[in-house]
């Protein structure tokens, strides 16, 4: 059931788009209902039936635009820039030691640079898109 009081608000905070219900205050701020990563992945903080259909459509369109923009920029990067981007991803959730891209990098030292980055890129798209 969609929320009785609902006013969609989206704001870019530097790490993607925060999606809120402007009609509801929680902890002194708008109620956060979702986050859209720069890669276009939506993480919901409420059940999806809380969100009215028209707002859900806007959220999904925003996520799709974010993904398209990310891929367009990604495809313009050099192999070195892609490598640096992936190696800079925080290691949260991966044992706190190295991000999975460092593991791929280290485990494939025998491969040329471009091939190592290609393996990292495949993992990146599996886990972040």
């Amino acid at each position: 059931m969609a929320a009785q009081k609902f006013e969609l608000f989206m704001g870019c905070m530097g790490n993607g788009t925060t999606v809120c219900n402007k009609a509801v205050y929680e902890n002194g701020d708008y109620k956060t209902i979702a986050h859209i990563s720069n890669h276009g992945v939506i993480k919901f903080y409420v059940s999806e039936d809380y969100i009215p259909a028209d707002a859900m459509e806007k959220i999904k369109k925003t996520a799709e635009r974010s993904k398209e923009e990310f891929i367009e920029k990604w495809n313009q990067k050099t192999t070195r820039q892609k490598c640096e981007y992936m190696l800079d991803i925080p290691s949260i959730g991966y044992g706190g030691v190295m991000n999975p891209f460092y593991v791929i990098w280290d485990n494939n030292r025998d491969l040329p640079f471009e091939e190592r980055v290609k393996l990292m890129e495949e993992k990146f798209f599996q886990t972040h898109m």
Side-chain angles (χ1 to χ4, degrees), residues 10-30:
M10 290 191 252
C12 297
M13 307 297 185
N15 65 340
T17 304
T18 301
V19 184
C20 301
N21 178 359
K22 192 175 172 181
V24 176
Y25 276 89
E26 221 175 55
N27 302 316
D29 207 349
Y30 302 144

Side-chain angles (χ1 to χ4, degrees), residues 13 27 33 43-44 78 93 95-97 117:
M13 307 297 185
N27 302 316
I33 60 170
K43 178 177 181 176
F44 290 99
T78 65
V97 180
V117 174

Side-chain angles (χ1 to χ4, degrees), residues 58-74:
K58 289 177 185 176
I59 293 166
K60 288 181 178 180
K61 283 183 180 179
T62 300
E64 187 58 36
R65 261 194 321 277
S66 293
K67 184 175 183 176
E68 289 169 1
E69 289 171 7
F70 177 83
I71 290 172
E72 183 180 321
K73 290 175 185 174
W74 183 261

